[in-house]
Amino acid sequence: MFRRQQQSNNESSGEDDESSSSTNFSPLSPPISPPRSSNNMLVNIGRFLNVSAIGVLSIVSVLLFIQLQAVSLQVASEQKQIDELKKTIEQSTSDIQVEVQEQKDLTVVNIAGTFTLLSCIVTMFHMTSHLKKMNQPFVQRKIMAILWMSPVYAITSFLSLLLPSAEGYLGIVKDFYESYVIYQFLSFLIAVLGRGERQIVVDKLAAHADHLKHPYKWLRCLFHPPPEESDEAKANAVLLECQFLAMQFVFFRPLTAIVSFVLESMRDGDAGGFSSPDFIIMMIENVSVFLAFSGLLKFYHAVQDDLAWCQPFAKFLTIKGVVFMTFWQGLIISIIFHANTDDDKSDDDESNSGSSYSAKSIQHILICMEMLFFSAAHMCVFPAEEWEEGYQVKHGGGPTFAFNDFASDVNMIIDSGKRSRIARKERKNALDDAKQSPSFGTMDERNDASKDGGEISLVDSEVV
């Protein structure tokens, strides 16, 4: 720019000189030469300054560019280090969380395993006492089959915690043994009643033929002779009916469990409605359970007086209590778990990951802990001494809270208070009658009567 301005100035000055020279030229005056050297020097200086400025600006620009690139590289390096440090922290946090969760899982598994081991030890000790005192093998064999129920439940639940992939197979084993124990309990009652002889059971049922309900007509193909021929035939048909109804549960329960496991492994989405295979299987299970318990209760009501000495109802509660309690407990836990899961769907994924145990896992943990108490209950209701010769029933000899004794004492105190109030009212009425009729008796007799009444009232107050 400076160079162009200098050239324009030079050109304008040259034109002015030419015009002036042309105007001042005259043939008489001599020609004058213009000052070319000074103009060229100024042009060169301007060019040098322009080049110098451009060079300085270029060098400054290069230096700034190099410095900017260095800063960018440093920032990128530091950002990379920050990212690596962040990943390391996140990885360490996740590793710590995984380690903490593993410690929690290990603690839970240790607790469940401890209760399972204790349950097995108690049951084995109980079974050993029966083996040492095998006085009635035909009865005690059934008892030992029943006693395996608590260890089977505890072991299958514990293994389901350790091996979640095998949970379905272990559930099939558990369901099979549940149905098998129900039939074994009926066989136990039959063995106790007949001392190993079926005919004795038939004769005792025939003695109550008037109170026996007729067997189902759709089972008549199993009865020989027909139940209408005699009381003995009717008793035999009823016994066979009860055995059949309990036995069908042994076959249907594992079969429905296998079908349910296969359907669950093949299912992609949620289960269907009332027309789904799961609902049909559930209805079949309920019908089978109803038939099994109807046969068991029919036999029990027919011979409950003959079996009262061995307390069969308490024994039945310790068996079916395992099934009923675990079923309803699992249902309640599942409802609570799914309700909490639905509430947490509105939260972030991180908050949803707080629950690491499923409803089935919680159910398995509780079963492992509860089977210890059922093993102890089996020791109380299935004692080995019960099958010794000359065994006498011990009423109230087991562990108890003595609530009946406390209630009887409360009733005694209440009755004593009632009698005391009645006696005081009678004495008061007698004194009122004596005051209203002074002609009867002398003053001394009335004083003696009042003294006697005061002494009686003092005695009554001490009794109260």
Side-chain angles (χ1 to χ4, degrees):
M1 182 183 295
F2 178 78
R3 184 178 182 183
R4 290 178 181 176
Q5 187 176 1
Q6 186 68 27
Q7 290 177 358
S8 63
N9 292 332
N10 294 333
E11 290 176 356
S12 60
S13 60
E15 291 176 356
D16 293 337
D17 293 337
E18 290 177 356
S19 61
S20 61
S21 61
S22 62
T23 54
N24 296 325
F25 175 79
S26 64
L28 298 178
S29 60
I32 300 172
S33 60
R36 296 290 183 179
S37 60
S38 60
N39 293 333
N40 292 332
M41 184 181 296
L42 292 175
V43 171
N44 293 330
I45 292 172
R47 290 177 179 177
F48 177 75
L49 293 175
N50 287 334
V51 172
S52 300
I54 293 172
V56 170
L57 291 175
S58 300
I59 293 171
V60 171
S61 300
V62 170
L63 292 175
L64 290 176
F65 178 76
I66 294 172
Q67 187 176 4
L68 181 61
Q69 292 297 323
V71 171
S72 300
L73 292 175
Q74 185 178 1
V75 171
S77 177
E78 292 179 354
Q79 184 64 35
K80 185 177 180 181
Q81 293 178 359
I82 292 173
D83 293 338
E84 292 178 355
L85 182 61
K86 185 177 179 180
K87 290 181 181 179
T88 304
I89 294 173
E90 291 178 353
Q91 184 66 29
S92 300
T93 303
S94 61
D95 292 341
I96 292 173
Q97 291 178 353
V98 170
E99 186 176 356
V100 170
Q101 188 60 46
E102 289 178 354
Q103 291 295 330
K104 289 182 180 179
D105 295 341
L106 182 60
T107 303
V108 171
V109 169
N110 287 335
I111 293 173
T114 301
F115 277 91
T116 301
L117 180 61
L118 291 175
S119 176
C120 294
I121 291 173
V122 172
T123 301
M124 293 305 166
F125 176 78
H126 189 194
M127 294 173 68
T128 303
S129 64
H130 278 279
L131 292 174
K132 290 180 179 179
K133 301 177 181 180
M134 189 67 71
N135 299 308
Q136 299 183 24
F138 47 87
V139 175
Q140 290 176 281
R141 285 198 303 267
K142 310 295 190 298
I143 294 175
M144 295 181 69
I146 294 171
L147 296 181
W148 276 106
M149 188 176 191
S150 295
V152 167
Y153 264 71
I155 292 173
T156 52
S157 297
F158 179 68
L159 292 178
S160 297
L161 289 174
L162 295 179
L163 305 171
S165 59
E167 182 179 1
Y169 304 101
L170 296 171
I172 295 173
V173 175
K174 185 189 300 182
D175 293 337
F176 165 73
Y177 207 80
E178 171 194 340
S179 59
Y180 180 70
V181 167
I182 296 300
Y183 179 78
Q184 284 299 323
F185 183 72
L186 177 63
S187 300
F188 164 75
L189 297 180
I190 295 173
V192 172
L193 188 64
R195 299 294 177 180
E197 295 293 334
R198 179 184 175 84
Q199 187 60 38
I200 297 176
V201 180
V202 173
D203 295 339
K204 290 186 177 182
L205 288 174
H208 306 284
D210 297 336
H211 304 287
L212 293 178
K213 294 182 180 180
H214 288 279
Y216 294 118
K217 293 182 179 180
W218 52 277
L219 293 176
R220 290 183 63 87
C221 60
L222 302 176
F223 306 143
H224 180 75
E228 293 82 5
E229 288 190 2
S230 62
D231 292 342
E232 183 177 355
K234 182 179 180 181
N236 184 51
V238 169
L239 180 59
L240 189 61
E241 176 196 27
C242 295
Q243 288 180 302
F244 175 80
L245 294 178
M247 190 177 293
Q248 58 83 26
F249 185 53
V250 179
F251 294 99
F252 272 102
R253 180 62 172 166
L255 182 61
T256 54
I258 293 172
V259 174
S260 298
F261 173 69
V262 173
L263 291 177
E264 185 176 358
S265 61
M266 297 174 60
R267 185 187 301 121
D268 294 332
D270 296 334
F274 294 105
S275 61
S276 63
D278 293 330
F279 181 78
I280 296 174
I281 292 172
M282 184 180 67
M283 293 303 298
I284 293 174
E285 288 181 357
N286 290 331
V287 171
S288 179
V289 170
F290 170 76
L291 293 176
F293 279 96
S294 64
L296 183 60
L297 293 176
K298 186 174 184 178
F299 180 80
Y300 171 73
H301 287 304
V303 295
Q304 59 180 344
D305 295 333
D306 298 323
L307 296 174
W309 66 273
C310 68
Q311 300 177 349
F313 187 70
K315 294 177 169 62
F316 176 74
L317 288 180
T318 58
I319 296 172
K320 199 56 188 172
V322 176
V323 181
F324 274 9
M325 192 190 71
T326 53
F327 172 76
W328 290 108
Q329 175 180 273
L331 182 62
I332 293 172
I333 292 173
S334 179
I335 292 174
I336 295 174
F337 184 84
H338 288 294
N340 293 332
T341 303
D342 294 336
D343 293 338
D344 292 340
K345 284 183 179 180
S346 60
D347 299 336
D348 296 331
D349 295 335
E350 294 180 358
S351 62
N352 288 336
S353 62
S355 178
S356 60
Y357 297 105
S358 63
K360 291 183 178 180
S361 299
I362 298 173
Q363 170 74 346
H364 293 320
I365 294 169
L366 292 177
I367 288 176
C368 292
M369 299 173 66
E370 292 161 354
M371 288 305 107
L372 175 60
F373 301 101
F374 278 103
S375 298
H378 288 165
M379 288 190 66
C380 297
V381 298
F382 289 103
E385 296 80 8
E386 193 174 21
W387 311 108
E388 295 179 353
E389 294 295 335
Y391 172 77
Q392 298 293 329
V393 181
K394 299 177 182 179
H395 297 286
T400 178
F401 290 101
F403 287 136
N404 294 331
D405 298 336
F406 177 75
S408 64
D409 293 340
V410 172
N411 291 329
M412 182 269 295
I413 293 175
I414 294 174
D415 293 339
S416 177
K418 290 180 179 179
R419 290 194 299 270
S420 177
R421 287 194 298 271
I422 293 172
R424 285 198 301 270
K425 288 181 180 180
E426 291 178 353
R427 288 193 297 271
K428 184 177 181 181
N429 294 331
L431 291 174
D432 292 339
D433 294 339
K435 290 179 181 179
Q436 292 176 2
S437 57
S439 59
F440 295 97
T442 62
M443 184 62 69
D444 296 334
E445 291 177 353
R446 287 197 298 272
N447 292 334
D448 295 338
S450 63
K451 292 179 180 180
D452 295 338
E455 293 176 357
I456 296 172
S457 62
L458 290 174
V459 173
D460 294 334
S461 64
E462 292 177 357
V463 172
V464 175

